[in-house]
Amino acid sequence: MGKENKNKLMEQCLTSWSADSWSLFSNPSQTAQSIFFYMQETGCFHTFYPYYTERENLNSFLILHTLSGRGILCCQGQEYELGPGSSFFINCMDYHKYFTPEGSHWDFLWLHFNGSNALGYFMEFTKNGFGILEKQDGAAPSRIESCIRQIMELYSKKDITTEVLSAQLITSILTEFILRRNAGTGSASAAGALSPDDILIPPGIREAERYINRHFQEPLLLDDLARQLHVSKYHFIREFSRYVGSSPHEYQIELRLSYAKELLKYTDLPVNEIAERCGINQASHFINLFKSREHITPLQFRKSWKP
C-alpha cells in the first residue's frame, strides 16, 4: 500500500487566471507515441495571486516560458525566480510547484509533452545540475517562445502533418535548452553569448538568411547573394538548403505567406493589396500559391480567424 501511494499522482491547482487564458489538449496517435515527441497539452495563462500548481508523479515533461510578470518555481529542493524571457524544463514525475507571488501577475506559455527519448534529453539537460534559462541581454526573441506558438498554431488547425511538425519543433526547443545550458547561459546569463543558430550555421549562410528576412518582399537575387559569399549560385543554394532546411526561394515563400497570414488575421486589407505588400504582383498568383500551401483560400483563412 505504501509503495502504491508513493507512485500515485498528486496534483493540485488554484485557477487564478483571467478569462483570456486558454489551453489546447491533444490525443496523440499510436505512431506519435511510439516514435515522436508528442504534445499532450499547451496553452497561455495570464495569472494573478494566489495562482499555483503543485504536482508529482505525472508522466509528462513540462516546458514553461515567462512572457511578463513574475513567477516562482520550487523544484529539485531549490526555489527559482522566473522573470520575463526565462524558461524552465522539468520532469513532472519529480515533485514541483510553481506559483504567482503575492502582489504580482505572471503571464506564461506552457507545453506538456512526452516521447520515448524525453527522459534522455532531460538527463542530458540536468547532468551538471538543474537550472533555468534566463533571458539573454540583447538577444533576439526566444526560440522557445516561437516554437511553442508554432505548436499552438499547428494544433489549432490539426491535419496529417501536425504531429510530425510538432515533434520537430519540440526537438528544436530541447536542443536550445541543452546548447544554452552547456554554453553556460542558463541561470546566469552570459553577455554576448552565441545563440544556438550561430553555433550551428556558418556566418555567411546566417547573414544571407537575415538578408532574406529583411528583404523578403523584394525579388530574390541569388547571384548577388552568392557573389557576396564568393561561391557559385548553385553552391550557395545547396549550402543554404543544407543548413536552413529549405532553398532560398522556398524560404522567401514561407516568409511571404507568414506575413500574408498576419495581414489576413489582423487587418481588413483586400487580398490584392496583401499580395502586393508580400511582394507578389498578381493577386491570382498569390491566391493560387496560398491555396496550394494552406489548402484554403486567403479569404477562407481570414474567416477562420475572425468570428
Side-chain angles (χ1 to χ4, degrees):
M1 180 66 72
K3 185 175 180 180
E4 291 179 359
N5 289 336
K6 182 179 178 181
N7 296 322
K8 185 178 180 181
L9 171 64
M10 183 278 290
E11 185 167 25
Q12 301 180 74
C13 180
L14 189 58
T15 58
S16 301
W17 54 59
S18 63
D20 57 345
S21 298
W22 58 274
S23 59
L24 283 171
F25 296 84
S26 172
N27 293 311
S29 66
Q30 289 297 318
T31 300
Q33 293 183 59
S34 298
I35 62 176
F36 299 151
F37 289 122
Y38 55 91
M39 189 275 278
Q40 296 169 308
E41 186 179 355
T42 187
C44 179
F45 282 175
H46 305 283
T47 70
F48 47 88
Y49 180 81
Y51 165 80
Y52 79 92
T53 292
E54 182 179 23
R55 65 167 74 88
E56 188 176 20
N57 294 324
L58 176 66
N59 186 23
S60 180
F61 294 82
L62 172 64
I63 290 167
L64 186 149
H65 177 79
T66 297
L67 299 171
S68 64
R70 177 171 167 260
I72 302 293
L73 169 68
C74 300
C75 184
Q76 305 283 329
Q78 300 290 326
E79 186 173 288
Y80 302 88
E81 184 165 336
L82 308 166
S86 66
S87 306
F88 69 72
F89 169 28
I90 60 174
N91 181 355
C92 295
M93 291 297 292
D94 301 330
Y95 171 81
H96 59 277
K97 180 179 181 179
Y98 48 93
F99 60 92
T100 306
E102 189 171 1
S104 182
H105 76 281
W106 185 26
D107 302 335
F108 56 86
L109 304 176
W110 51 273
L111 171 71
H112 275 289
F113 76 98
N114 216 326
S116 59
N117 205 26
L119 181 59
Y121 271 86
F122 181 75
M123 293 176 67
E124 177 66 20
F125 174 64
T126 57
K127 68 180 181 181
N128 295 319
F130 181 81
I132 65 170
L133 299 189
E134 301 282 8
K135 181 180 180 181
Q136 293 174 287
D137 293 336
S142 168
R143 172 176 288 273
I144 295 169
E145 176 185 350
S146 174
C147 289
I148 293 177
R149 291 191 184 279
Q150 290 179 68
I151 291 170
M152 290 173 171
E153 184 168 354
L154 284 170
Y155 277 91
S156 68
K157 299 178 64 177
K158 189 175 181 181
D159 61 27
I160 195 171
T161 66
T162 295
E163 290 184 328
V164 177
L165 294 175
S166 175
Q168 182 183 41
L169 290 165
I170 293 172
T171 302
S172 182
I173 294 172
L174 298 178
T175 301
E176 168 121 342
F177 269 97
I178 291 172
L179 284 173
R180 283 186 54 191
R181 187 67 173 152
N182 290 344
T185 59
S187 296
S189 298
L194 293 174
S195 73
D197 281 344
D198 292 328
I199 295 170
L200 298 174
I201 299 180
I205 299 299
R206 169 58 65 214
E207 185 56 38
E209 183 186 27
R210 288 170 178 156
Y211 177 86
I212 298 172
N213 285 340
R214 294 192 300 267
H215 301 279
F216 69 88
Q217 295 138 311
E218 304 170 12
L220 185 58
L221 304 176
L222 293 178
D223 289 316
D224 290 349
L225 287 172
R227 193 177 302 113
Q228 292 176 20
L229 297 177
H230 307 290
V231 297
S232 72
K233 178 173 71 173
Y234 302 103
H235 180 79
F236 167 67
I237 293 173
R238 183 169 62 251
E239 290 299 287
F240 189 96
S241 302
R242 174 187 174 190
Y243 285 105
V244 178
S246 60
S247 70
H249 178 66
E250 183 66 23
Y251 186 72
Q252 182 190 46
I253 289 175
E254 292 173 0
L255 291 172
R256 287 178 168 181
L257 292 182
S258 294
Y259 185 50
K261 290 179 182 179
E262 181 179 341
L263 295 176
L264 288 164
K265 287 169 63 176
Y266 299 116
T267 77
D268 294 317
L269 291 172
V271 169
N272 63 325
E273 187 171 342
I274 290 176
E276 290 179 6
R277 292 196 181 195
C278 293
I280 302 174
N281 294 327
Q282 294 185 336
S284 59
H285 175 59
F286 167 69
I287 293 170
N288 290 333
L289 178 64
F290 192 98
K291 188 174 181 180
S292 69
R293 303 303 177 93
E294 302 298 322
H295 308 295
I296 56 175
T297 67
L299 288 180
Q300 288 172 330
F301 177 86
R302 170 174 277 169
K303 289 178 181 178
S304 71
W305 283 93
K306 290 188 176 183

